[in-house]
Amino acid sequence: MSFVYVGNSGRNNASVIDTKENRLISNILVGNDQLATILSPNGQYAYILSGGTPGHVTAIDTKDHRVIAQIQVGSVSFPSLPTVPMAITHNGQWIYVANSDSNTLTVIDTKDYRVVATVQLNAFPQYIAVTPDDQFFYVVNTSFGLSFASVTVIETKRNQVISTIPVGEEATNISITPDGRYAYVCNFSSNNLSVIDIKTKKAISTVSVGSNPFALAITADGQYVYVANSQIVSGSGGNTVSVIEIKTNQVISTVGVGACPFSLAITADGQYVYVVNLDGNSVSVIETRTNQVISTIRVGLLPFAIAITAEDHYVYVGNVNDNTVSAIEIKTNQVISTIAVGLSPIALAITP
């Protein structure tokens, strides 16, 4: 049995959904302004970040949905857009939290839930990715309305900054290839992606995509990057998904989707990409073999976050404006359940 942990930004409780019956089974008091939800690699623990001055991380035992610790971090706020301010190493030992308002990174040891380091960063750290070998964290420092953006590289062994890499304007999401060779960064206002060589810690290429690229995901085989072009600012060229071939760093396809695609997820088998259309109240389904939309699924109002079960049976979408989570069956691409949760569900994570 697996569970969906839902971070509700407008309530002080996190919701838990049983995926077998697609029903709400628990609401857990964790604190207001929930911003992110992640899981330990083995699925035994859920971690929910709540904003504030200071913010805090709540650790939950997924066996009985019990709070086992709360850890104070730096000052964190929600910028009204999806961010990735928290990540965990693949071995489950360290949690890193980007404190957007205090310009620091908090390092938490999951053995005893102690803060073991606070790393000074550039302004407005918002997005984090960890290399597959757990040796480095890459942190995107950015702010909407300010043109500067950079990526800070932190060595996990000593929790020291070893490099700062300039990227494009108003950089947003970052993702690292499964082989650990490259990091891809969406440059929202530059309408392109920066490609960073992990070995040299330098940007080696820039790939032009559609207007306002905001989110991205990489296929499990490491061959393709799918990029959601949200078209929030620009008048044309968005509302698409760009498909980049990693071998050549060339766009090989541009797929039209719904209004303002803002988040996306790829099934574990690599056959489908599910794209959340923020203003379209829908999810577009792209078949990766043909890079064509094969289905458009109506969900709730202002869909925001998305997560897929490990066995590729269901997709879950958090709908901010009607306080629900839509459960989509992948086999039929139909909404099979709509579950009422807390106020403004903006973050989802599913146990294995």
Side-chain angles (χ1 to χ4, degrees), residues 14-18 22-27 339-342:
S15 302
V16 184
I17 296 169
D18 179 344
N22 282 314
R23 64 181 181 90
L24 179 72
I25 61 169
S26 183
N27 281 310
I339 306 116
V341 291

Side-chain angles (χ1 to χ4, degrees), residues 230-243:
S230 61
Q231 198 185 359
I232 296 174
V233 178
S234 304
S236 61
N239 297 339
T240 60
V241 170
S242 298
V243 187

